[in-house]
Amino acid sequence: MDQFDVAPTPENYAVWICFASDTNPELCETLRTHIEAGEVFSETVNAELFEQYFQWKAIQDAILESGSLMSRELGAVKQSLEAAERDTVAYGKALEGATHELVASPDAAGMKRLVESLVSATARMQRRSQALEDKLQATSNEVTKLKTHLERVREEAMTDALTGIANRKRFDEALRRARRASESDGTPMSLILCDIDFFKRFNDTWGHQTGDQIIRFVAGCLTRHSLEHHVVARYGGEEFGIVMPNTDTATATEIAEKIRKTVESKKLLRKSTNEDLGNITVSLGIAGYRDGESIEELIERSDANLYKSKTEGRNRSTSDASTASRSAAA
């Protein structure tokens, strides 16, 4: 880690200890390829390595832990129910005995003994019922806490470590969910892919920390202009995606233009030195979902439009509609 200038964080230690002990062949191969290519282990790269190989393990560990706790809780509830069943049977027998005694000993003394016996049996039954109710409430509370814990772990595993927006896993999941919704209810759905122009030049000139600053800035612009039900994700290194359920292509294009103009209008300063980084720009590709097409086809069309934005000068957005209009004019 010292040789490759990898920061000594718990997450990075997890990755490199795994590499040193050769316990994950896929991770080891990825690191070897990275080292052989002479690539820098930036904060972005380190975060992506941990996210790729360890975040889902966190979910698995949380599920196993929650399963163990649930097993203990259900075991305790089972014992309480068995005890309650025994007390119910005993109470039934007490009532049956009281019936016989009432027939056999109708005098005042017998009646007194009978009442005292029933009062005592009823009190025991009430205590057992209360104990069972308390236990069930405690178990319900524990289940709620476990559910919250699992949701938090899952949220962390689906979030990009550098930007705080959704990662590729959540992007893929959101895209599948939006496609199903569009197929079932006929509502429109759009996809935006966005790429930072000349990002490698910024990285090479100013360093990876500044590159990370730019990535976070663009992620913030995308989030600011997207609607609440949209999913903004980091799709790749400097590439982003916005999954837009219930959104037509025209609306998606308007949002893309707002993002482009916002990014273009900001002058960035390097945090460490306050140097002027100048303006950065983004290129965007927009595609609307077509009935019956696969997710791969939708991504391919959006990516093709992004490529057109790049080849036609960058700092622009290209949609299905603009592509069609240019084709018609030609």
Side-chain angles (χ1 to χ4, degrees):
M1 290 172 68
D2 183 61
Q3 179 183 347
F4 296 108
D5 197 27
V6 177
T9 65
E11 293 80 8
N12 291 342
Y13 273 124
V15 171
W16 285 84
I17 287 173
C18 189
F19 176 64
S21 59
D22 199 20
T23 53
N24 186 322
E26 187 180 350
L27 169 60
C28 292
E29 181 61 29
T30 300
L31 281 175
R32 289 192 192 98
T33 301
H34 202 90
I35 291 169
E36 289 169 3
E39 297 176 0
V40 176
F41 285 94
S42 66
E43 180 184 344
T44 304
V45 170
N46 293 329
E48 288 175 348
L49 285 169
F50 180 78
E51 182 179 292
Q52 181 177 357
Y53 293 102
F54 287 88
Q55 291 287 55
W56 282 106
K57 185 179 183 302
I59 286 187
Q60 293 170 348
D61 290 344
I63 290 172
L64 289 174
E65 179 187 0
S66 298
S68 177
L69 290 171
M70 279 297 300
S71 180
R72 288 200 295 271
E73 285 295 324
L74 291 175
V77 170
K78 182 173 179 289
Q79 290 178 351
S80 296
L81 289 172
E82 289 172 348
E85 183 181 7
R86 289 194 297 271
D87 285 347
T88 300
V89 171
Y91 188 59
K93 289 181 178 179
L95 291 178
E96 184 179 352
T99 301
H100 292 309
E101 188 173 346
L102 183 61
V103 173
S105 306
D107 60 317
M111 185 68 71
K112 181 180 178 183
R113 288 194 304 274
L114 176 61
V115 170
E116 289 174 349
S117 174
L118 288 176
V119 168
S120 177
T122 301
R124 285 196 301 272
M125 194 64 189
Q126 286 177 331
R127 287 194 297 273
R128 173 58 65 184
S129 297
Q130 185 61 52
L132 179 59
E133 182 180 340
D134 292 343
K135 182 58 187 173
L136 290 174
Q137 183 60 53
T139 299
S140 176
N141 294 340
E142 189 64 30
V143 168
T144 300
K145 285 194 290 185
L146 290 174
K147 181 182 177 184
T148 301
H149 174 63
L150 283 175
E151 288 174 349
R152 185 171 64 251
V153 170
R154 183 178 183 277
E155 179 70 22
E156 290 172 356
M158 302 286 270
T159 301
D160 177 62
L162 177 65
T163 60
I165 62 176
N167 61 14
R168 179 61 185 269
K169 292 183 181 73
R170 174 168 286 176
F171 172 84
D172 291 338
E173 180 185 278
L175 203 53
R176 288 192 297 269
R177 188 168 58 246
R179 178 183 179 274
R180 286 196 299 269
S182 182
E183 285 283 337
S184 64
D185 56 26
T187 54
M189 164 198 165
S190 297
L191 172 66
I192 293 177
L193 293 183
C194 170
D195 191 72
I196 302 173
D197 295 330
F198 302 112
F199 180 75
K200 187 177 185 304
R201 187 178 68 187
F202 278 98
N203 249 9
D204 294 343
T205 303
W206 301 101
H208 289 279
Q209 287 191 338
T210 300
D212 291 344
Q213 178 187 343
I214 292 171
I215 287 173
R216 283 191 287 262
F217 164 69
V218 173
C221 291
L222 268 68
T223 302
R224 190 177 312 125
H225 290 294
S226 296
L227 302 181
E228 187 176 351
H229 63 283
H230 293 165
V231 176
V232 179
R234 190 170 171 206
Y235 184 69
E238 69 273 11
E239 193 170 13
F240 302 86
I242 310 177
V243 181
M244 313 175 86
N246 201 25
T247 305
D248 57 30
T249 308
T251 303
T253 302
E254 290 176 8
I255 292 173
E257 274 297 292
K258 288 179 182 177
I259 292 168
R260 186 190 64 78
K261 290 175 181 177
T262 299
V263 173
E264 181 188 29
S265 67
K266 302 295 182 182
K267 273 196 173 181
L268 296 184
L269 299 177
R270 193 179 186 190
K271 282 185 177 179
S272 57
T273 62
N274 217 31
E275 293 173 83
D276 187 356
L277 301 179
N279 295 83
I280 63 168
T281 61
V282 293
S283 298
L284 306 100
I286 307 104
Y289 176 69
R290 296 171 180 171
D291 289 343
E293 77 174 338
S294 66
I295 288 174
E296 290 74 19
E297 289 169 330
L298 174 62
I299 292 175
E300 186 177 339
R301 286 194 299 105
S302 185
D303 196 46
N305 287 335
L306 171 60
Y307 181 73
K308 286 174 185 173
S309 293
K310 290 281 191 182
T311 57
E312 293 179 5
R314 293 182 168 82
N315 188 24
R316 64 185 63 208
S317 58
T318 303
S319 66
D320 292 336
S322 57
T323 301
S325 64
R326 281 198 293 270
S327 299

